[in-house]
Amino acid sequence: MNKDTQGAQATNTSVLPIQGVIPEIRQYFLTAHELVLEAPPGAGKTTVVPLSLLDEAWLQGKKIVMLEPRRIAARAAASRMAQLLGEPVGKRVGYQVRHDKKISRETKIEVITEGVLTRRLQSDPSLENVALLIFDEFHERNLESDLGLALALQGRELFRESDEPLKILVMSATLDGGAISKLLSVGSDGARIIRSEGRAFPVEAIYGKTIPLRDSIVGSIVQVIESSLELDSKSILVFLPGQKEILAVQKQLLLRLGANSKKVVSVLPLYGSLSMEQQQRAIAPLTPSDEGQIPLKVVLSTDLAETSLTIEGVSVVIDSGLRREPAFDANSGMTRLNTRRISKASSTQRMGRAGRLEPGKCYRMWSEDQQNQLIEYSAPEILQADLAPLALNLLSWGVESPEDLAWLNKPPSGAYGQALSLLRKLGVLDPSGESLSEHGKAISGIPAHPRIAHMLVCSMQVGQLEMGAALAAILSERLPSLGRGVDLSFYVSVVVGEIPCDRPHRAWLTRMQRSSKLFTGLLSSYVERQISKNELDDDQTIGYLIACAYPDRIAHRKASSDTRFQLSSGRSVQLDKSDDLASSEWLAVAELGGNSRIGTTKRDDRIFQASKLDSELFESHLAHLKDINEIVEWSEQWGRFVAEERVVLGEIVLSREKLTRVPDSAKRDILCKMIRKQGLGVLSWSAELEQWRARVILVQLTDQNQAWPNMSDTSLLQTLEYWLSPHLSDVSSIADLKKIDLKQVLSNELSWPLSQELERLAPQKIKVPSGSQIAIDYLQSPPVLAVKLQEMFGSEQAPAILNGALKLVVHLLSPARRPIQVTQDLLGFWRGSYHEVKKEMKGRYPKHPWPDNPIEASPSKFTKARS
């Protein structure tokens, strides 16, 4: 393996590096209001900077609010600052994250997650009680952080007094500080950038062999972990792309370590859907054993541990070089999880985790050449995310277009347009489509994706809030496998207590029940409880609620298939044949597509979460999803003209009825459009007709004295309405098109005089010296006359057309009618290469004449005997 070194030997470990720039930060904020702070992981910015500003006079009794991109990081930061103050969390330092907060009247520093800030800005655009807003780890470029910064900048401009402006501090390990600086201070030279060099022990980079993205990394990772435990005897932080790989590595590693291991090793997973207790166990230092031995730990983490957290006791990093990131497809309306290679910035941050406490090692599961090929930074989430939550937030803020706000990267127009389309389907927009409806205003206050918030309101309206809240909790988090396929009804029954939960998933159940209870409480706060008279039965509810949240993912079984379904969006999806829902005619699908690696292709997306859907709901609770369309079109699938009234659910046809009257003009227009799309080949072209058209085209191009019609493909397609449309009234299928006498139709474009002139200038046949009438092939250029060699004896010139202006290319044929010479110079041939041809052919065809002087010989179409 190749090696290199990162970092420099640490000096004084008792003083955090960030403390060196604290005086500069405090001095700057005395007169200015926007600052960018760049400091590498481990510099101490997250805890030291807020505490150092706690007693500044410009706070004037207001708070410092700091944003963290992850809940575990927010809790950890608040706990560490409170510890440094010698206080419990919730006094001068507190936190608020989704479904959890510890804040009191004494709290002066609040650590919150980005979603909390967005909701706070909606209710208080000026952030009146906040003096300083800190964006920590901004380089992660989460959608919520970009949105929060955009709203905070506009809120400050519109609602804060100039003598008490909101101060904004953006802190990051690695980012384009110049771009941030300009964004924070529009119209000036930009905000100040302060840099802290940080402190790190040297880290040795050990490169391996690059593993293709399509291959599993589990086995290779386990081998490197075992080798490192044996060689280094240090605690290890392992970066893996996702939960699937973490659990697989954990299982293999525990089996291999087993009873034979001489070391005490704890294998701890760390990913977002774990309980806070499990996450805390991974990042906390291990306690010594009874014998005083400090055990080793192996933390298997997603990129959660890349910058936001410090993992105690780690001095070895094993990096898979992969991350799993969501990518939104605006065309399908679906978010897919893609496994991609990390950026150079991420590889540097991950490597630095090994050098916090002492010199360390970083095992990279890729080559040094691959390292040089990595992109510099990962793409911001705003460029590849589902923008429906952002669109709802902007509309709640009163912004009609993203263009009205300042962004580092503007939301892509395609994804934003798709987001607005979804909000219309959910009834979130008013009829104008430019502002929120009353329903939209109600769901905008629910801290969940618009789909989930809409579903919660719908659950109240049918008297099924308990099921709706349980389903919302389940859909808001990664679903564990309970061995019951994709049916969400089973999972809801577990959460509401109808079915017992197995012991390994009790922690998940506890989180779901807590989240469900919180959703129930939120609904009473944000939405007026209105129970519909049309309450639903329990066995209809889950499918109905999923259809409310995902109207574009209602699925109908395809004819003659036991695994494939068509979504209302038009896409095709697949369900495992062994699944309990495989026999269902209708499904409501919550999750599909799944975990795809670059370079792989699948014909259909797979269904991962769904429920059976009662089609009777289309006549009642889901009737608003149906449309009635009059369809007058050409069906490429059936190869015929279709005129019918369809009742549709998106792209799914529920019923159809043939239209009895369709204007001929509409039918002819559709047929002409179809022919233009498919080309003239859809009509019936005989060989004779092709030759006739080629003759007309030739004459039209060469005879400028008369108005010949243009018979080229381009011209015929452009003028279909003129020459073909009158003959289309009785056409309903491809077979009907083939019945049209195309020769008669096109011949009508030539007047009688022009038809006669065509025969004179470009005759269909021409008389050769033997007296035979031989057809000319006008499909070749120049036209070709294929004739037996003996029939051209005595002729010194190739036959010509167009009043002698164009000589034909003569293909002289053997008695077996195979070409033996191609020429326009007959005299030259008779005097030259004919004699070589004669030597070769005379023995092969002795019954045919082969005169020594073909110029003076009599032409013949027969053998010597018959002649």
Side-chain angles (χ1 to χ4, degrees):
M1 285 189 165
N2 300 323
K3 302 180 180 181
D4 64 18
T5 300
Q6 171 183 297
Q9 179 67 40
T11 54
N12 183 4
T13 58
S14 63
V15 178
L16 290 169
I18 197 67
Q19 292 173 340
V21 298
I22 291 300
E24 187 178 358
I25 294 172
R26 295 178 64 183
Q27 182 66 31
Y28 181 76
F29 270 138
L30 292 176
T31 56
H33 312 295
E34 304 89 15
L35 177 63
V36 177
L37 174 61
E38 294 182 9
K45 60 184 181 299
T46 299
T47 53
V48 173
V49 171
L51 290 176
S52 68
L53 301 174
L54 187 57
D55 297 322
E56 294 298 291
W58 48 261
L59 287 176
Q60 297 182 357
K62 296 182 180 181
K63 294 183 177 182
I64 296 173
V65 172
M66 182 168 70
L67 274 78
E68 289 293 333
R70 294 180 173 89
R71 284 177 284 173
I72 186 173
R75 288 189 179 98
S79 297
R80 178 59 178 159
M81 284 189 282
Q83 182 185 24
L84 291 172
L85 291 174
E87 301 175 352
V89 178
K91 294 200 75 175
R92 279 188 290 174
V93 180
Y95 69 81
Q96 182 175 356
V97 300
R98 183 186 176 206
H99 302 337
D100 184 22
K101 68 178 179 179
K102 287 188 178 180
I103 294 174
S104 67
R105 292 183 179 180
E106 301 176 56
T107 301
K108 296 301 180 184
I109 298 176
E110 281 189 45
V111 187
I112 64 177
T113 46
E114 294 150 335
V116 175
L117 173 65
T118 304
R119 291 190 293 277
R120 191 172 294 183
L121 281 164
Q122 296 288 5
S123 60
D124 179 17
S126 67
L127 295 180
E128 186 62 33
N129 196 36
V130 179
L132 172 63
L133 181 59
I134 302 175
F135 291 82
D136 194 20
E137 308 293 356
F138 193 77
H139 61 271
E140 294 194 13
R141 294 299 309 279
N142 296 324
L143 178 63
E144 288 279 5
S145 63
D146 278 17
L147 172 63
L149 182 56
L151 295 182
L153 288 172
Q154 190 181 67
R156 181 178 71 167
E157 180 183 355
L158 296 177
F159 303 110
R160 291 290 286 255
E161 298 294 335
S162 59
D163 57 340
E164 292 185 7
L166 174 69
K167 295 181 186 291
I168 296 177
L169 169 60
V170 176
M171 303 196 303
S172 169
T174 53
L175 60 76
D176 183 355
I180 291 284
S181 172
K182 292 179 181 178
L183 180 69
L184 291 182
S185 188
V186 178
S188 69
D189 294 334
R192 175 82 170 271
I193 301 175
I194 295 177
R195 294 181 174 88
S196 171
E197 296 304 324
R199 177 191 66 209
F201 288 90
V203 178
E204 180 184 15
I206 305 173
Y207 292 94
K209 182 180 178 181
T210 299
I211 301 173
L213 280 171
R214 64 180 177 272
D215 294 349
S216 172
I217 60 171
V218 172
S220 299
I221 287 284
V222 171
Q223 289 179 4
V224 176
I225 293 173
E226 287 186 298
S227 175
S228 176
L229 287 172
E230 183 67 28
L231 179 66
D232 305 314
S233 295
K234 303 288 185 180
S235 290
I236 304 169
L237 172 59
V238 184
F239 285 101
L240 292 160
Q243 178 180 336
K244 176 183 176 182
E245 291 82 2
I246 288 174
L247 296 178
V249 169
Q250 182 184 30
K251 181 179 180 181
Q252 285 196 25
L253 198 56
L254 290 174
L255 287 174
R256 293 201 184 192
L257 291 176
N260 296 326
S261 177
K262 298 178 182 179
K263 297 182 175 67
V264 179
V265 181
S266 296
V267 182
L268 304 169
L270 180 59
Y271 49 86
S273 61
L274 288 174
S275 68
M276 289 308 302
E277 293 76 17
Q278 290 172 304
Q279 293 181 355
Q280 203 65 41
R281 198 177 305 137
I283 66 175
L286 292 174
T287 56
S289 64
D290 294 337
E291 295 78 19
Q293 180 183 6
I294 304 265
L296 301 179
K297 67 177 178 180
V298 177
V299 179
L300 309 175
S301 178
T302 63
D303 56 2
L304 181 67
E306 192 170 292
T307 56
S308 301
L309 297 172
T310 296
I311 310 297
E312 296 289 345
V314 166
S315 56
V316 174
V317 165
I318 299 174
D319 189 358
S320 68
L322 304 174
R323 62 175 303 202
R324 190 155 294 137
E325 59 184 27
F328 182 70
D329 181 357
N331 293 322
S332 66
M334 293 187 292
T335 298
R336 305 176 189 280
L337 285 174
N338 294 327
T339 302
R340 302 184 185 277
R341 300 200 186 278
I342 60 174
S343 65
K344 284 183 180 178
S346 290
S347 71
T348 300
Q349 290 157 13
R350 292 182 178 188
M351 182 176 178
R353 290 287 162 177
R356 293 290 185 89
L357 304 176
E358 61 181 348
K361 288 182 179 179
C362 176
Y363 295 88
R364 286 175 167 169
M365 306 298 290
W366 65 92
S367 68
E368 193 167 6
D369 287 342
Q370 181 69 49
Q371 172 70 18
N372 296 328
Q373 296 172 22
L374 297 178
I375 60 173
E376 292 295 331
Y377 299 98
S378 299
E381 188 181 6
I382 198 170
L383 298 182
Q384 52 189 356
D386 176 4
L387 298 185
L390 181 141
L392 180 59
N393 275 306
L394 292 188
L395 290 167
S396 299
W397 183 262
V399 173
E400 295 182 2
S401 169
E403 298 291 333
D404 298 337
L405 297 178
W407 307 88
L408 266 183
N409 298 95
K410 293 182 180 179
S413 57
Y416 193 78
Q418 196 281 336
L420 293 178
S421 176
L422 172 63
L423 296 182
R424 291 188 191 95
K425 289 179 182 178
L426 299 180
V428 172
L429 303 184
D430 66 10
S432 71
E434 297 179 352
S435 58
L436 295 180
S437 63
E438 290 303 313
H439 176 63
K441 294 175 183 176
I443 74 168
S444 66
I446 301 174
H449 190 284
R451 291 183 186 268
I452 305 302
H454 169 69
M455 183 195 73
L456 282 166
V457 174
C458 292
S459 72
M460 290 185 60
Q461 293 172 344
V462 296
Q464 294 284 6
L465 179 57
E466 183 183 14
M467 278 194 177
L471 183 58
I474 290 168
L475 294 176
S476 299
E477 188 176 301
R478 184 179 177 90
L479 195 64
S481 175
L482 302 185
R484 291 298 297 268
V486 306
D487 191 357
L488 286 173
S489 299
F490 172 79
Y491 292 84
V492 172
S493 297
V494 172
V495 173
V496 300
E498 295 176 355
I499 297 176
C501 180
D502 57 12
R503 184 176 298 275
H505 297 101
R506 295 282 175 79
W508 168 82
L509 176 61
T510 300
R511 292 199 310 277
M512 292 299 96
Q513 291 177 334
R514 183 188 304 126
S515 181
S516 176
K517 185 177 180 180
L518 289 168
F519 275 127
T520 303
L522 282 169
L523 264 290
S524 61
S525 302
Y526 287 114
V527 183
E528 182 180 352
R529 191 176 181 119
Q530 295 179 344
I531 304 300
S532 169
K533 296 180 181 178
N534 298 320
E535 297 189 14
L536 284 178
D537 295 335
D538 288 353
D539 59 352
Q540 294 177 309
T541 298
I542 303 303
Y544 165 72
L545 293 178
I546 296 173
C548 289
Y550 302 94
D552 48 336
R553 299 183 196 171
I554 294 173
H556 184 232
R557 177 189 303 285
K558 291 192 172 185
S560 68
S561 175
D562 55 359
T563 61
R564 299 181 67 207
F565 291 76
Q566 181 189 358
L567 297 181
S568 51
S569 65
R571 297 179 70 86
S572 179
V573 294
Q574 194 159 6
L575 182 64
D576 289 343
K577 190 175 181 179
S578 60
D579 195 276
D580 291 344
L581 294 181
S583 60
S584 303
E585 189 71 17
W586 289 89
L587 296 175
V589 180
E591 184 182 346
L592 50 85
N595 201 0
S596 62
R597 289 178 177 268
I598 304 301
T600 63
T601 57
K602 295 181 181 179
R603 185 179 64 176
D604 294 334
D605 290 307
R606 287 180 55 205
I607 296 175
F608 292 135
Q609 297 177 16
S611 180
K612 185 176 181 180
L613 181 63
D614 188 346
S615 60
E616 291 183 2
L617 294 173
F618 300 143
E619 304 302 322
S620 54
H621 295 73
L622 296 177
H624 63 283
L625 297 179
K626 296 190 299 184
D627 288 309
I628 299 177
N629 299 331
E630 284 194 356
I631 304 298
V632 181
E633 65 180 12
W634 180 268
S635 170
E636 292 188 11
Q637 179 182 2
W638 302 107
R640 63 179 296 107
F641 176 77
V642 174
E644 58 189 23
E645 181 182 88
R646 295 177 185 170
V647 179
V648 298
L649 189 73
E651 297 296 319
I652 300 173
V653 178
L654 299 177
S655 64
R656 60 182 83 217
E657 184 176 342
K658 187 175 181 180
L659 294 176
T660 55
R661 291 185 58 83
V662 178
D664 283 347
S665 59
K667 182 178 183 179
R668 290 194 294 264
D669 288 346
I670 288 170
L671 288 170
C672 286
K673 289 178 183 177
M674 180 275 292
I675 295 170
R676 283 198 181 95
K677 181 179 179 180
Q678 298 193 15
L680 292 172
V682 74
L683 302 173
S684 183
W685 293 89
S686 65
E688 178 186 0
L689 179 55
E690 291 278 21
Q691 290 290 340
W692 178 86
R693 185 166 76 118
R695 292 161 61 201
V696 176
I697 291 173
L698 177 63
V699 174
Q700 186 258 336
L701 292 174
T702 55
D703 181 12
Q704 305 299 321
N705 297 322
Q706 301 187 71
W708 294 91
N710 190 335
M711 291 285 173
S712 67
D713 282 4
T714 301
S715 178
L716 290 179
L717 287 171
Q718 289 175 347
T719 59
L720 284 172
E721 286 79 6
Y722 171 71
W723 64 271
L724 184 61
S725 182
H727 306 277
L728 297 177
S729 297
D730 296 329
V731 172
S732 295
S733 66
I734 292 290
D736 292 338
L737 273 177
K738 299 293 186 183
K739 293 176 183 177
I740 295 176
D741 188 349
L742 201 57
K743 173 65 183 298
Q744 183 62 44
V745 171
L746 290 175
S747 296
N748 290 338
E749 299 303 302
L750 283 186
S751 64
W752 172 255
L754 285 182
S755 296
Q756 299 303 305
E757 187 69 2
L758 178 64
E759 290 301 324
R760 187 181 69 82
L761 293 174
Q764 182 181 0
K765 295 182 178 180
I766 196 167
K767 189 175 181 180
V768 297
S770 67
S772 298
Q773 293 283 342
I774 306 295
I776 302 172
D777 184 1
Y778 285 92
L779 297 180
Q780 302 190 58
S781 182
V784 168
L785 178 70
V787 58
K788 282 176 60 178
L789 180 146
Q790 285 79 7
E791 295 194 61
M792 297 302 293
F793 289 158
S795 176
E796 298 182 6
Q797 299 291 332
I801 57 174
L802 301 177
N803 291 328
L806 179 63
K807 284 186 178 181
L808 301 177
V809 175
V810 181
H811 286 201
L812 295 171
L813 309 178
S814 71
R817 304 201 65 79
R818 293 175 181 159
I820 55 178
Q821 184 69 31
V822 176
T823 183
Q824 283 181 305
D825 181 11
L826 275 177
L827 184 59
F829 169 67
W830 299 134
R831 290 176 174 173
S833 57
Y834 164 75
H835 299 286
E836 293 299 322
V837 170
K838 171 188 171 184
K839 289 178 183 178
E840 183 181 350
M841 294 288 118
K842 188 173 182 179
R844 191 178 299 178
Y845 303 103
K847 295 181 179 181
H848 293 266
W850 299 96
D852 292 335
N853 188 356
I855 298 175
E856 296 180 357
S858 298
S860 173
K861 55 184 175 181
F862 304 116
T863 62
K864 291 188 288 186
R866 291 190 62 184
S867 298

